Amino acid sequence: MSGRVKKWWKRPRTIVVDGEVYRYSLLDRPECRELRVYRERERQPALRLRLSWLETWGIDLFRPKMVACVIRWQAGQAHPRPAVLRPQEEPSLLQILVDLSFSPEEWELQAWFLEKIAASAHETGGDLDGASSYSKADRWP
């Protein structure tokens, strides 16, 4: 057995959205988690979405349903989007992801989460490097 362990969730996965085949993978970086989505036979990413570590607390990109919603959202946009998406810069995408992540009964937790990521973005100016750490006081009570 080799000394290198592969995580199952980092390998490229295939997903079919609205009849089109895509491949996607998740990369963990020191400052964020990045979702990369490729069209079936292309080598360049069709979509890159970066979540700060604080955002990954409430938004679970390991769920294929989340990935499908991000792809559908991107396909429905009339104007080309930046090379790298960040949920805080795309309010409609953030709302979709948050609605999928929290049940209606968790409205207090959802409000707390949105407040924390808004405060983090305000403090760091949207820079992911500063948004990756938060104190124990920031945790849900």
Side-chain angles (χ1 to χ4, degrees), residues 68-80:
C69 284
V70 171
I71 293 169
R72 279 191 192 101
W73 178 87
Q74 174 74 7
Q77 298 302 306
H79 303 289

mmCIF file with all atom_site columns, all heavy atoms in Angstrom, residues 68-80:
data_model
loop_
_atom_site.group_PDB
_atom_site.id
_atom_site.type_symbol
_atom_site.label_atom_id
_atom_site.label_alt_id
_atom_site.label_comp_id
_atom_site.label_asym_id
_atom_site.label_entity_id
_atom_site.label_seq_id
_atom_site.pdbx_PDB_ins_code
_atom_site.Cartn_x
_atom_site.Cartn_y
_atom_site.Cartn_z
_atom_site.occupancy
_atom_site.B_iso_or_equiv
_atom_site.pdbx_formal_charge
_atom_site.auth_seq_id
_atom_site.auth_comp_id
_atom_site.auth_asym_id
_atom_site.auth_atom_id
_atom_site.pdbx_PDB_model_num
ATOM 1   N N   . ALA A 1 68 ? -25.493 20.288 -8.754  1.00 0.00 ? 68 ALA A N   1
ATOM 2   C CA  . ALA A 1 68 ? -26.462 20.434 -9.850  1.00 0.00 ? 68 ALA A CA  1
ATOM 3   C C   . ALA A 1 68 ? -27.117 21.811 -9.825  1.00 0.00 ? 68 ALA A C   1
ATOM 4   O O   . ALA A 1 68 ? -27.307 22.441 -10.874 1.00 0.00 ? 68 ALA A O   1
ATOM 5   C CB  . ALA A 1 68 ? -27.513 19.334 -9.766  1.00 0.00 ? 68 ALA A CB  1
ATOM 6   N N   . CYS A 1 69 ? -27.437 22.308 -8.646  1.00 0.00 ? 69 CYS A N   1
ATOM 7   C CA  . CYS A 1 69 ? -28.058 23.633 -8.543  1.00 0.00 ? 69 CYS A CA  1
ATOM 8   C C   . CYS A 1 69 ? -27.097 24.736 -8.978  1.00 0.00 ? 69 CYS A C   1
ATOM 9   O O   . CYS A 1 69 ? -27.509 25.696 -9.625  1.00 0.00 ? 69 CYS A O   1
ATOM 10  C CB  . CYS A 1 69 ? -28.544 23.874 -7.123  1.00 0.00 ? 69 CYS A CB  1
ATOM 11  S SG  . CYS A 1 69 ? -30.047 22.964 -6.775  1.00 0.00 ? 69 CYS A SG  1
ATOM 12  N N   . VAL A 1 70 ? -25.826 24.606 -8.638  1.00 0.00 ? 70 VAL A N   1
ATOM 13  C CA  . VAL A 1 70 ? -24.833 25.594 -9.058  1.00 0.00 ? 70 VAL A CA  1
ATOM 14  C C   . VAL A 1 70 ? -24.708 25.580 -10.581 1.00 0.00 ? 70 VAL A C   1
ATOM 15  O O   . VAL A 1 70 ? -24.671 26.635 -11.222 1.00 0.00 ? 70 VAL A O   1
ATOM 16  C CB  . VAL A 1 70 ? -23.465 25.332 -8.385  1.00 0.00 ? 70 VAL A CB  1
ATOM 17  C CG1 . VAL A 1 70 ? -22.384 26.219 -8.987  1.00 0.00 ? 70 VAL A CG1 1
ATOM 18  C CG2 . VAL A 1 70 ? -23.557 25.544 -6.879  1.00 0.00 ? 70 VAL A CG2 1
ATOM 19  N N   . ILE A 1 71 ? -24.686 24.394 -11.177 1.00 0.00 ? 71 ILE A N   1
ATOM 20  C CA  . ILE A 1 71 ? -24.582 24.285 -12.642 1.00 0.00 ? 71 ILE A CA  1
ATOM 21  C C   . ILE A 1 71 ? -25.814 24.885 -13.307 1.00 0.00 ? 71 ILE A C   1
ATOM 22  O O   . ILE A 1 71 ? -25.708 25.631 -14.278 1.00 0.00 ? 71 ILE A O   1
ATOM 23  C CB  . ILE A 1 71 ? -24.376 22.814 -13.061 1.00 0.00 ? 71 ILE A CB  1
ATOM 24  C CG1 . ILE A 1 71 ? -23.010 22.315 -12.572 1.00 0.00 ? 71 ILE A CG1 1
ATOM 25  C CG2 . ILE A 1 71 ? -24.506 22.652 -14.571 1.00 0.00 ? 71 ILE A CG2 1
ATOM 26  C CD1 . ILE A 1 71 ? -22.810 20.817 -12.706 1.00 0.00 ? 71 ILE A CD1 1
ATOM 27  N N   . ARG A 1 72 ? -27.007 24.582 -12.788 1.00 0.00 ? 72 ARG A N   1
ATOM 28  C CA  . ARG A 1 72 ? -28.240 25.147 -13.346 1.00 0.00 ? 72 ARG A CA  1
ATOM 29  C C   . ARG A 1 72 ? -28.256 26.668 -13.220 1.00 0.00 ? 72 ARG A C   1
ATOM 30  O O   . ARG A 1 72 ? -28.681 27.369 -14.132 1.00 0.00 ? 72 ARG A O   1
ATOM 31  C CB  . ARG A 1 72 ? -29.468 24.568 -12.644 1.00 0.00 ? 72 ARG A CB  1
ATOM 32  C CG  . ARG A 1 72 ? -29.862 23.227 -13.158 1.00 0.00 ? 72 ARG A CG  1
ATOM 33  C CD  . ARG A 1 72 ? -31.235 22.806 -12.639 1.00 0.00 ? 72 ARG A CD  1
ATOM 34  N NE  . ARG A 1 72 ? -31.411 21.413 -12.930 1.00 0.00 ? 72 ARG A NE  1
ATOM 35  C CZ  . ARG A 1 72 ? -31.249 20.426 -12.051 1.00 0.00 ? 72 ARG A CZ  1
ATOM 36  N NH1 . ARG A 1 72 ? -30.941 20.682 -10.800 1.00 0.00 ? 72 ARG A NH1 1
ATOM 37  N NH2 . ARG A 1 72 ? -31.403 19.169 -12.415 1.00 0.00 ? 72 ARG A NH2 1
ATOM 38  N N   . TRP A 1 73 ? -27.805 27.160 -12.073 1.00 0.00 ? 73 TRP A N   1
ATOM 39  C CA  . TRP A 1 73 ? -27.762 28.608 -11.871 1.00 0.00 ? 73 TRP A CA  1
ATOM 40  C C   . TRP A 1 73 ? -26.855 29.258 -12.914 1.00 0.00 ? 73 TRP A C   1
ATOM 41  O O   . TRP A 1 73 ? -27.222 30.249 -13.525 1.00 0.00 ? 73 TRP A O   1
ATOM 42  C CB  . TRP A 1 73 ? -27.276 28.927 -10.452 1.00 0.00 ? 73 TRP A CB  1
ATOM 43  C CG  . TRP A 1 73 ? -27.174 30.389 -10.203 1.00 0.00 ? 73 TRP A CG  1
ATOM 44  C CD1 . TRP A 1 73 ? -28.176 31.224 -9.770  1.00 0.00 ? 73 TRP A CD1 1
ATOM 45  C CD2 . TRP A 1 73 ? -26.027 31.209 -10.399 1.00 0.00 ? 73 TRP A CD2 1
ATOM 46  N NE1 . TRP A 1 73 ? -27.701 32.514 -9.683  1.00 0.00 ? 73 TRP A NE1 1
ATOM 47  C CE2 . TRP A 1 73 ? -26.381 32.534 -10.065 1.00 0.00 ? 73 TRP A CE2 1
ATOM 48  C CE3 . TRP A 1 73 ? -24.729 30.968 -10.819 1.00 0.00 ? 73 TRP A CE3 1
ATOM 49  C CZ2 . TRP A 1 73 ? -25.492 33.596 -10.137 1.00 0.00 ? 73 TRP A CZ2 1
ATOM 50  C CZ3 . TRP A 1 73 ? -23.841 32.026 -10.899 1.00 0.00 ? 73 TRP A CZ3 1
ATOM 51  C CH2 . TRP A 1 73 ? -24.222 33.322 -10.557 1.00 0.00 ? 73 TRP A CH2 1
ATOM 52  N N   . GLN A 1 74 ? -25.680 28.687 -13.109 1.00 0.00 ? 74 GLN A N   1
ATOM 53  C CA  . GLN A 1 74 ? -24.719 29.228 -14.085 1.00 0.00 ? 74 GLN A CA  1
ATOM 54  C C   . GLN A 1 74 ? -25.304 29.192 -15.499 1.00 0.00 ? 74 GLN A C   1
ATOM 55  O O   . GLN A 1 74 ? -25.164 30.139 -16.261 1.00 0.00 ? 74 GLN A O   1
ATOM 56  C CB  . GLN A 1 74 ? -23.402 28.453 -14.034 1.00 0.00 ? 74 GLN A CB  1
ATOM 57  C CG  . GLN A 1 74 ? -22.389 28.829 -15.085 1.00 0.00 ? 74 GLN A CG  1
ATOM 58  C CD  . GLN A 1 74 ? -21.715 30.164 -14.822 1.00 0.00 ? 74 GLN A CD  1
ATOM 59  O OE1 . GLN A 1 74 ? -21.901 30.768 -13.788 1.00 0.00 ? 74 GLN A OE1 1
ATOM 60  N NE2 . GLN A 1 74 ? -20.937 30.620 -15.774 1.00 0.00 ? 74 GLN A NE2 1
ATOM 61  N N   . ALA A 1 75 ? -25.967 28.097 -15.854 1.00 0.00 ? 75 ALA A N   1
ATOM 62  C CA  . ALA A 1 75 ? -26.542 27.955 -17.197 1.00 0.00 ? 75 ALA A CA  1
ATOM 63  C C   . ALA A 1 75 ? -27.663 28.962 -17.429 1.00 0.00 ? 75 ALA A C   1
ATOM 64  O O   . ALA A 1 75 ? -27.894 29.398 -18.559 1.00 0.00 ? 75 ALA A O   1
ATOM 65  C CB  . ALA A 1 75 ? -27.060 26.538 -17.400 1.00 0.00 ? 75 ALA A CB  1
ATOM 66  N N   . GLY A 1 76 ? -28.345 29.358 -16.365 1.00 0.00 ? 76 GLY A N   1
ATOM 67  C CA  . GLY A 1 76 ? -29.461 30.289 -16.499 1.00 0.00 ? 76 GLY A CA  1
ATOM 68  C C   . GLY A 1 76 ? -29.067 31.747 -16.521 1.00 0.00 ? 76 GLY A C   1
ATOM 69  O O   . GLY A 1 76 ? -29.921 32.621 -16.692 1.00 0.00 ? 76 GLY A O   1
ATOM 70  N N   . GLN A 1 77 ? -27.798 32.052 -16.370 1.00 0.00 ? 77 GLN A N   1
ATOM 71  C CA  . GLN A 1 77 ? -27.343 33.441 -16.368 1.00 0.00 ? 77 GLN A CA  1
ATOM 72  C C   . GLN A 1 77 ? -27.227 33.958 -17.796 1.00 0.00 ? 77 GLN A C   1
ATOM 73  O O   . GLN A 1 77 ? -26.666 33.302 -18.657 1.00 0.00 ? 77 GLN A O   1
ATOM 74  C CB  . GLN A 1 77 ? -25.992 33.564 -15.657 1.00 0.00 ? 77 GLN A CB  1
ATOM 75  C CG  . GLN A 1 77 ? -26.035 33.149 -14.205 1.00 0.00 ? 77 GLN A CG  1
ATOM 76  C CD  . GLN A 1 77 ? -27.047 33.955 -13.413 1.00 0.00 ? 77 GLN A CD  1
ATOM 77  O OE1 . GLN A 1 77 ? -27.031 35.165 -13.403 1.00 0.00 ? 77 GLN A OE1 1
ATOM 78  N NE2 . GLN A 1 77 ? -27.959 33.243 -12.765 1.00 0.00 ? 77 GLN A NE2 1
ATOM 79  N N   . ALA A 1 78 ? -27.757 35.140 -18.013 1.00 0.00 ? 78 ALA A N   1
ATOM 80  C CA  . ALA A 1 78 ? -27.749 35.727 -19.354 1.00 0.00 ? 78 ALA A CA  1
ATOM 81  C C   . ALA A 1 78 ? -26.383 36.288 -19.731 1.00 0.00 ? 78 ALA A C   1
ATOM 82  O O   . ALA A 1 78 ? -26.012 36.288 -20.891 1.00 0.00 ? 78 ALA A O   1
ATOM 83  C CB  . ALA A 1 78 ? -28.801 36.834 -19.428 1.00 0.00 ? 78 ALA A CB  1
ATOM 84  N N   . HIS A 1 79 ? -25.651 36.775 -18.753 1.00 0.00 ? 79 HIS A N   1
ATOM 85  C CA  . HIS A 1 79 ? -24.360 37.402 -19.014 1.00 0.00 ? 79 HIS A CA  1
ATOM 86  C C   . HIS A 1 79 ? -23.236 36.488 -18.550 1.00 0.00 ? 79 HIS A C   1
ATOM 87  O O   . HIS A 1 79 ? -23.382 35.754 -17.576 1.00 0.00 ? 79 HIS A O   1
ATOM 88  C CB  . HIS A 1 79 ? -24.259 38.746 -18.283 1.00 0.00 ? 79 HIS A CB  1
ATOM 89  C CG  . HIS A 1 79 ? -25.357 39.679 -18.662 1.00 0.00 ? 79 HIS A CG  1
ATOM 90  N ND1 . HIS A 1 79 ? -25.432 40.270 -19.896 1.00 0.00 ? 79 HIS A ND1 1
ATOM 91  C CD2 . HIS A 1 79 ? -26.442 40.102 -17.970 1.00 0.00 ? 79 HIS A CD2 1
ATOM 92  C CE1 . HIS A 1 79 ? -26.507 41.034 -19.946 1.00 0.00 ? 79 HIS A CE1 1
ATOM 93  N NE2 . HIS A 1 79 ? -27.140 40.943 -18.794 1.00 0.00 ? 79 HIS A NE2 1
ATOM 94  N N   . PRO A 1 80 ? -22.099 36.534 -19.221 1.00 0.00 ? 80 PRO A N   1
ATOM 95  C CA  . PRO A 1 80 ? -20.970 35.723 -18.767 1.00 0.00 ? 80 PRO A CA  1
ATOM 96  C C   . PRO A 1 80 ? -20.546 36.138 -17.362 1.00 0.00 ? 80 PRO A C   1
ATOM 97  O O   . PRO A 1 80 ? -20.600 37.305 -17.004 1.00 0.00 ? 80 PRO A O   1
ATOM 98  C CB  . PRO A 1 80 ? -19.867 36.010 -19.780 1.00 0.00 ? 80 PRO A CB  1
ATOM 99  C CG  . PRO A 1 80 ? -20.372 37.044 -20.698 1.00 0.00 ? 80 PRO A CG  1
ATOM 100 C CD  . PRO A 1 80 ? -21.798 37.326 -20.385 1.00 0.00 ? 80 PRO A CD  1
#
